[in-house]
Amino acid sequence: MPFSAEISRANPTCFLFLIDQSESMGAHIGGGDVPMTKAEAVADAVNRLLSELSIKCAKEDGVRDYFHVGVIGYGAAVGPILDGALAGRDLVPLSEVAARPARMEERTRQNGRHSAGRTVKFPTWFSPVAYGDTPMCAALTRARGLLGPWLADHPGCFPPVVVNITDGVSTDGDALPVAQGLQALTSADGHVLLFNLHLSSGLSDPVIFPGPDTALPDDYARQLHRMSSPLPDQMMAAAARQDLVLDAGARGFAFNADISAIVQFLDVGTQVLELR
Amino acid sequence: MKLPGATAYMEALQDPATCFADPELAGASAALGPLGLPRAVSGNVAVVFRLDGSSGRSWAVRCFVRPLEAERARYEALRSHLATLDSSWRVGFDLQPLGIRVDGGWWPVVKMEWTTAEPLLSYVRRHLWDGAALGYLAARVAALAERLRADGVAHGDLQHGNLLVAPGGDLRLVDYDGMYVPALAGWAGTERGHRNYQHPGRAVGDFGPHLDSFSAWSIYASIAALAADPLLWGRLDGGEEALLLRHHDLEQPGRSAAFAAMEASDGPGVADLAALLRSFLALRPDEVPPLSHALGPAPACPAAGGVPTAPGGAGSGATGRPGPSWLPAKPSAAVVTPTRSGGAVDDPPVGAAALAAGEAAMRRAWSARGARATDETPRNGPGDTGGVPATGEGGKDDDAARTEDERRRSLYDALVAAGPVDTGPGAADPPLPPAPAPAVAFGGDLREARRTVAGSGAGAVVLLLTVAVGLPLLVALVGAVAVAGAGLAQVRRLFLRTPEARAAHQVGAVLAAPRRAAGDAVAAVDRLARGRAEVSTGEDAAARDAERDRARLRARQDAELRDVDVSLEATLASLVARERAIGVAEQEARTVALAALQSSVVDAQLAKHSLVSASAAGVSDKIVHLLALDDVRSAADFTDVLVEKKGGVVVCRDGRRIQVNGVDRRQADAILQWRRRVAGAAQLKVPDALPPKRQSAIRAEHNRLRSALAAEEESARVLARRRADGIRERWKAEQDAVLQRQNQVEADAARQRVEIDRDLARARKDVAEAEWHLGQHQEEVGTPAKLGLVDYLRQAVAVGPLAGIAGRPGGTHRHSSRDRMPSSQP
Ligand SMILES: Nc1ncnc2c1ncn2[C@@H]1O[C@H](COP(=O)(O)OP(=O)(O)OP(=O)(O)O)[C@@H](O)[C@H]1O
Ligand SMILES: [Mg+2]
């Protein structure tokens, strides 16, 4: 059965985030408590996810390398965007990620409706950028170039998960064949999972994890849908835990996501550890 | 509403004062990790933080990332039951349904006492090569299981994450979410427990005192197996979310590499333990007998020792003493479901047999450690044929060809055989006929062999044989080897001449290469695993060294700081003495000043009275005149008047003595009387205190001295502080150096481990491949009767009990890797 490989330190899996850094990511996005740009919302959500993964894999003896993690940006350039000590690195073992955030930022959190906010320390590994085109094909090609050798080193792994986060159409060609090339990569446990998270222009309601036959608003949405892998069982179970009712064969795809949909998407799309 | 995530909890924990409802927690501070953020340890359902109170107490706070299924009433029942217990496994806990505030909402936490005990996996890893420690640990696991039963408690999720080893070896349990206590009888369960430890048949709703039976056995057996064969750890990837067995092993024991490895292990008793666990998997979870420390006597006397029987047997409608329900009545019978009683009235209860087997396995693991049987074909698994017909079908003789019943039966035989090890031959009366002994296996030269055996001292050979089959007679070994060596060599020559041995030899020749390859691959895994363990041991040693160094540095720093304190104290003491002296001096100054003032006032008064006025008192003018010539003009100018032989003498104030002619007794008296009168009047004008100005002058003068002292004290303190800071700084540099060294060692070790792990993964794949190839070859050439020298010897010696002892459910598991693919495919 695919997607059943035990994830362990000797047999880790990997998460690769492809983040659209184009001009339009500087526009505002809805669904949050405070106004922010799409780029900021994505950076916040992915940074928070890195911290979440680090804590989840923290055991008595330290952070376990169940995952290797990479963040690739595409906009004016295409390449790894982790800052600080990890600058220039593409796939980094989780324990290193956990130990080396680029910055410790101060964020304000509300304790209650009426009480004053308090500041908390919030580790970040990269910062939002919104400048340039949307070279999605180059980004997917880059992902393929990284995962090929990684899979050769980890032939029995739970298949790597690639999450592509974008708000626009590829400006360097048709992304579908490139995406399919990426999805063709495989370990003994199954094909690489490619999920696509499309961000809201603020006009219509989000669609999250649509089934194979869900009606979608336009051709572009249908293309991204085709580019997205079906959710494996453990992610379906995670969605169910969040009271999301999904069709069988639901895909790792969201259209017009707002801030809360981004968080939910990333949460469900990275549920691969199932210890029970 | 969705539970907060781990990050949100960590953010809240940055300020315990505002996030906790509990005053103790609100007053505590979170233990921090290297980034200065609260340090977290994650389990499956909760993130755990440590909070340190100002009083020195620490708590574990479990914040839930998965919904807490156990409702509050359940926790109350737990709490009130646990409060009545006095068991060392218990760690105080308290469910606080609205315990923590995260982003404005309140969520439950469980507040527990923090226990400093060591997590099970790390303890096992540290003691991997210390069989005695692991053996003891296994015994503690059994004792814990028994204690839980005595307490009326089932933990519900016995597993490495919830078991901690306290310094004395005592076991502590954390995470009581799924716990059963008698007050909850009739309730349903809420979780299934860690899947790598639970019987696959356990359902979420299962609940009751039996919950821990299988997991306790599994933990016990894994640790006992490691005590006997630590190489299993590396071979089976121990420590990765499991001890040795994982859910897929438990779900499909027939295809399990872990069971195969344990059953092929030459660690004494390991195969039996694995077979025992396997047999439990054929039972329903609630039929698994509880793990007991008071391991029962031989299976033939089930009543003794109060050994509990399997609940399933008693509850399934069987009358009287239930039989081993997992054992078919006859070897050829169709598969008997575990719940149905086999019907053999005299059969011992399963609990007794299981416990006896467990004990026997443990005893062997203990006593025969290190006396690994030296087999002629080392990696060929248990080569004996206790339960297999000696000359047989050939070809497919293994797992695949055997029915489930036969397997269970041969296990039972093994259990029975395990019994007499200590109770002596004949004590047990096996309820089922023993498996056919390989009596027909060897040709006519047995007689010669017998003679040889007798000639070289049968006793010695028996001893040697005993050792060869793994019995704890190591003590006698040294002597026996010497006596029997020559004889054995002769027997071996005879053995090699038997047709069986020759056939085996030929097959052996074909299989030699793949066997060697498999052996090499396994050896590579072992080498890597040992290397990995060494890295960790080295790291542990370095950590201990570093800890010792740091303690030493701390002690030296403390000593120096103490010196500073002592010298400061001495300085301060001398300052206090000097201050006291200033006080005394001030008092004195005041007294002196007052006295001076008083006498000056008197003098002034006296000076006002001219001697001229004394004439009125009868002093002659001539004398007044004479005195004036000598500058004695007033009452102040003289103090006394004497009358000596040569005449009167006036004692001046400045000490001069003036001879005054004409002063006789009468005159002298008159002068003195006048002076007394004048002085008496002057006394009335004398002040009895210093004027305020004078007083404050004196005070100011001494206060100047005092503030000089204060300055001295301050500078002494500053100096001491500076010295202390200097000392701390100096030692901190050294401590940091130690820490840095240690970090370096850890980083190096981590890197080495990653490298070794990579190699290990590859080596494991090689093993699987090699074994698969070997299996292929074996299938091609067929398997000869697996009769070894030991069987031959046993025949030759024909000593009854030993035949029984040597019998194992052998040959059943050896090739079970055949149906696996060579890769790490699931
Ligand atoms: N009272 C305690 N004192 C010290 N350490 C503790 C305590 N409670 C928990 N821990 C540590 O935290 C880890 C996780 O705790 P716990 O088992 O309660 O979480 P969990 O989410 O229920 O995990 P799981 O369900 O996997 O057992 C434990 O393995 C242990 O190392
Ligand atoms: Mg738990």
Side-chain angles (χ1 to χ4, degrees):
Chain A
M1 212 177 68
F3 305 112
S4 60
E6 203 85 29
I7 296 173
S8 69
R9 281 174 286 192
N11 192 31
T13 185
C14 108
F15 290 131
L16 183 56
F17 299 94
L18 309 180
I19 297 183
D20 183 346
Q21 295 185 312
S22 64
E23 208 87 47
S24 55
M25 291 291 286
H28 281 263
I29 186 170
D33 301 332
V34 277
M36 48 166 74
T37 66
K38 294 178 209 170
E40 286 166 343
V42 168
D44 256 21
V46 175
N47 275 314
R48 173 174 287 262
L49 180 66
L50 295 182
S51 148
E52 202 77 13
L53 291 175
S54 306
I55 302 174
K56 204 179 280 181
C57 298
K59 301 284 165 182
E60 208 38 58
D61 52 355
V63 176
R64 299 203 170 160
D65 288 327
Y66 293 138
F67 306 115
H68 292 194
V69 182
V71 185
I72 304 289
Y74 58 100
V78 177
I81 57 172
L82 295 178
D83 277 348
L86 301 176
R89 305 267 306 269
D90 32 44
L91 289 172
V92 186
L94 186 64
S95 60
E96 269 190 79
V97 172
R100 303 167 154 191
R103 272 173 293 279
M104 198 56 86
E105 295 185 8
E106 306 247 297
R107 297 293 172 91
T108 310
R109 300 275 182 258
Q110 228 63 39
N111 260 343
R113 210 181 293 279
H114 303 296
S115 57
R118 61 193 187 91
T119 39
V120 296
K121 290 188 219 158
F122 182 78
T124 61
W125 285 263
F126 67 95
S127 307
V129 170
Y131 178 66
D133 287 340
T134 312
M136 194 186 296
C137 294
L140 291 167
T141 307
R142 180 66 173 255
R144 190 177 173 176
L146 288 177
L147 293 182
W150 197 86
L151 281 163
D153 280 346
H154 303 88
C157 71
F158 185 97
V161 177
V162 181
V163 183
N164 176 36
I165 309 178
T166 178
D167 73 332
V169 184
S170 163
T171 53
D172 65 345
D174 183 1
L176 182 60
V178 193
Q180 284 166 343
L182 177 61
Q183 285 167 304
L185 294 179
T186 170
S187 81
D189 193 42
H191 291 281
V192 164
L193 292 166
L194 172 61
F195 298 152
N196 290 287
L197 172 53
H198 172 266
L199 304 182
S200 169
S201 52
L203 296 178
S204 23
D205 284 343
V207 178
I208 191 162
F209 302 127
D213 308 319
T214 309
L216 291 167
D218 56 38
D219 282 349
Y220 177 55
R222 279 188 283 279
Q223 188 197 27
L224 282 177
H225 186 244
R226 264 203 303 286
M227 280 169 54
S228 306
S229 311
L231 295 177
D233 286 349
Q234 41 277 78
M235 296 185 194
M236 293 294 278
R241 276 199 299 276
Q242 299 197 6
D243 298 327
L244 273 177
V245 184
L246 301 186
D247 296 344
R251 301 220 170 183
F253 171 49
F255 198 69
N256 285 328
D258 59 7
I259 290 184
S260 61
I262 294 177
V263 172
Q264 193 164 43
F265 186 93
L266 291 178
D267 187 17
V268 169
T270 54
Q271 295 286 341
V272 293
L273 272 188
E274 203 181 25
L275 301 178
R276 297 295 149 78
Chain B
M1 199 170 150
K2 193 171 171 286
L3 282 168
T7 313
Y9 282 122
M10 187 177 274
E11 286 180 351
L13 260 288
Q14 292 180 26
D15 188 8
T18 63
C19 78
F20 285 119
D22 179 278
E24 272 183 324
L25 296 180
S29 54
L32 300 181
L35 296 176
L37 296 170
R39 191 185 19 242
V41 176
S42 280
N44 195 39
V45 302
V47 189
V48 179
F49 296 94
R50 195 184 89 205
L51 278 133
D52 299 321
S54 50
S55 60
R57 273 180 79 186
S58 293
W59 297 275
V61 175
R62 302 178 63 219
C63 304
F64 294 90
V65 290
R66 296 246 180 135
L68 177 63
E69 302 295 350
E71 54 273 60
R72 186 166 191 189
R74 204 181 270 268
Y75 254 96
E76 282 310 318
L78 288 183
R79 208 213 326 224
S80 56
H81 183 71
L82 296 197
T84 65
L85 303 180
D86 176 32
S87 298
S88 59
W89 59 263
R90 193 185 50 151
V91 179
F93 78 100
D94 179 21
L95 171 71
Q96 303 179 344
L98 298 176
I100 188 169
R101 178 160 63 180
V102 182
D103 294 338
W106 288 92
W107 302 96
V109 294
V110 169
K111 172 189 174 192
M112 292 187 92
E113 269 156 47
W114 182 264
T115 165
T116 53
E118 180 175 6
L120 185 68
L121 289 182
S122 119
Y123 183 89
V124 170
R125 183 176 66 77
R126 274 204 311 122
H127 294 92
L128 195 55
W129 305 98
D130 181 353
L134 290 188
Y136 180 65
L137 180 62
R140 298 305 294 231
V141 170
L144 170 69
E146 203 161 66
R147 181 71 207 208
L148 285 173
R149 261 201 319 286
D151 289 342
V153 165
H155 180 272
D157 189 15
L158 285 188
Q159 48 124 322
H160 57 254
N162 294 337
L163 258 172
L164 300 114
V165 188
D170 251 2
L171 294 172
R172 305 253 186 284
L173 287 173
V174 297
D175 181 1
Y176 303 159
D177 296 349
M179 185 174 275
Y180 167 87
V181 297
L184 295 179
W187 293 53
T190 55
E191 59 170 287
R192 291 177 55 183
H194 199 301
R195 60 178 179 169
N196 289 346
Y197 290 84
Q198 295 297 327
H199 193 294
R202 177 171 168 189
V204 174
D206 285 0
F207 206 50
H210 65 272
L211 274 185
D212 295 337
S213 299
F214 184 81
S215 49
W217 270 111
S218 167
I219 293 170
Y220 169 83
S222 301
I223 297 173
L226 284 169
D229 185 358
L231 290 176
L232 287 171
W233 183 259
R235 224 172 261 168
L236 300 181
D237 219 3
E240 280 294 335
E241 272 300 318
L243 277 163
L244 292 179
L245 298 169
R246 296 183 173 74
H247 62 104
H248 45 80
D249 299 313
L250 304 178
E251 283 150 14
Q252 295 186 300
R255 319 181 82 216
S256 153
F259 271 114
M262 284 175 79
E263 281 158 356
S265 164
D266 54 6
V270 176
D272 292 346
L273 285 166
L276 192 65
L277 281 184
R278 212 193 254 269
S279 77
F280 291 155
L281 288 171
L283 304 179
R284 275 199 334 237
D286 60 346
E287 291 172 329
V288 174
L291 171 60
S292 172
H293 182 61
L295 293 164
C301 13
V307 177
T309 58
S316 60
T319 56
R321 294 152 72 207
S325 51
W326 42 279
L327 185 74
K330 282 186 217 125
S332 58
V335 173
V336 177
T337 59
T339 43
R340 224 177 299 149
S341 175
V345 186
D346 285 331
D347 290 347
V350 62
L355 293 176
E359 181 197 27
M362 260 309 280
R363 265 203 304 262
R364 278 192 243 165
W366 272 90
S367 52
R369 242 181 92 70
R372 305 268 161 82
T374 47
D375 204 80
E376 293 199 309
T377 48
R379 292 257 34 102
N380 212 13
D384 299 2
T385 53
V388 183
T391 50
E393 306 89 65
K396 312 199 169 210
D397 60 345
D398 292 326
D399 268 8
R402 300 180 57 133
T403 66
E404 181 68 19
D405 288 350
E406 274 175 320
R407 215 171 308 134
R408 287 200 202 140
R409 187 188 164 74
S410 63
L411 165 68
Y412 183 73
D413 289 341
L415 298 188
V416 170
V421 170
D422 272 13
T423 50
D429 185 14
L432 289 159
V440 294
F442 293 100
D445 40 2
L446 257 181
R447 238 183 294 139
E448 195 187 339
R450 284 216 174 94
R451 270 200 307 282
T452 313
V453 168
S456 61
V461 176
V462 168
L463 278 176
L464 184 61
L465 178 57
T466 313
V467 171
V469 298
L471 288 177
L473 288 174
L474 185 58
V475 199
L477 176 65
V478 179
V481 169
V483 183
L488 184 68
Q490 172 66 9
V491 174
R492 185 163 181 275
R493 264 193 301 282
L494 292 171
F495 164 68
L496 289 178
R497 259 187 259 137
T498 64
E500 291 78 10
R502 274 200 229 113
H505 184 75
Q506 269 164 16
V507 170
V510 174
L511 293 182
R515 237 178 225 157
R516 205 167 328 108
D520 288 351
V522 170
V525 169
D526 290 348
R527 204 171 48 245
L528 286 165
R530 226 193 271 272
R532 195 183 198 282
E534 269 160 22
V535 169
S536 294
T537 313
E539 181 189 19
D540 287 346
R544 270 196 303 280
D545 284 355
E547 189 42 56
R548 211 191 35 238
D549 286 353
R550 276 212 299 280
R552 213 169 31 224
L553 291 176
R554 252 194 320 272
R556 302 233 301 264
Q557 164 183 316
D558 289 350
E560 290 189 14
L561 288 177
R562 237 181 346 267
D563 283 353
V564 172
D565 274 354
V566 166
S567 88
L568 175 62
E569 232 125 73
T571 309
L572 293 183
S574 90
L575 288 178
V576 167
R578 280 165 60 194
E579 186 176 8
R580 203 172 299 124
I582 290 174
V584 172
E586 183 179 358
Q587 190 55 44
E588 174 109 358
R590 243 190 258 114
T591 317
V592 169
L594 182 60
L597 178 66
Q598 286 170 340
S599 74
S600 76
V601 167
V602 170
D603 285 354
Q605 288 298 319
L606 294 183
K608 280 193 196 148
H609 294 273
S610 166
L611 267 171
V612 178
S613 64
S615 35
V619 180
S620 74
D621 286 348
K622 183 177 156 238
I623 289 172
V624 171
H625 180 69
L626 282 175
L627 283 173
L629 287 179
D630 271 321
D631 270 349
V632 178
R633 292 193 170 84
S634 73
D637 295 339
F638 70 99
T639 57
D640 205 359
V641 180
L642 309 169
V643 182
E644 294 177 348
K645 279 195 210 99
K646 18 186 182 152
V649 173
V650 172
V651 180
C652 290
R653 187 177 166 81
D654 53 11
R656 280 181 305 148
R657 297 165 75 95
I658 303 164
Q659 194 88 34
V660 184
N661 290 332
V663 174
D664 55 5
R665 176 88 270 158
R666 206 178 49 80
Q667 278 294 313
D669 282 349
I671 295 171
L672 285 176
Q673 204 156 16
W674 170 78
R675 190 178 186 281
R676 255 195 303 278
R677 208 173 51 243
V678 170
Q683 265 325 312
L684 295 175
K685 307 236 159 124
V686 165
D688 52 4
L690 287 171
K693 229 179 169 169
R694 185 83 182 92
Q695 275 194 25
S696 56
I698 291 174
R699 162 136 306 217
E701 182 187 338
H702 287 87
N703 279 353
R704 256 198 311 285
L705 296 176
R706 284 200 183 87
S707 55
L709 279 193
E712 250 181 86
E713 176 179 338
E714 181 55 25
S715 73
R717 283 189 194 279
V718 168
L719 188 71
R721 210 161 32 238
R722 222 173 280 144
R723 279 177 59 198
D725 287 349
I727 289 166
R728 281 205 197 89
E729 197 143 322
R730 184 153 39 81
W731 289 113
K732 180 168 179 330
E734 302 220 10
Q735 297 220 2
D736 285 352
V738 172
L739 205 63
Q740 223 156 33
R741 266 202 309 281
Q742 194 192 344
N743 285 344
Q744 189 56 48
V745 169
E746 277 172 13
D748 287 350
R751 210 189 40 249
Q752 287 181 32
R753 264 196 300 266
V754 167
E755 278 164 20
I756 294 177
D757 283 347
R758 197 179 311 123
D759 295 347
L760 253 179
R762 260 182 228 131
R764 284 209 191 89
K765 202 170 139 225
D766 293 346
V767 168
E769 246 163 38
E771 280 180 356
W772 185 76
H773 282 305
L774 179 58
Q776 294 276 306
H777 278 286
Q778 272 166 346
E779 222 155 297
E780 277 161 26
V781 301
T783 309
K786 277 175 301 211
L787 288 177
L789 176 59
V790 168
D791 304 279
Y792 185 69
L793 259 175
R794 188 166 46 206
Q795 295 272 303
V797 181
V799 181
L802 287 173
I805 291 161
R808 273 219 206 136
T812 39
H813 324 293
R814 195 154 110 209
H815 306 303
S816 54
S817 60
R818 180 187 297 168
D819 48 14
R820 281 184 296 126
M821 289 303 290
S823 72
S824 51
Q825 201 147 316

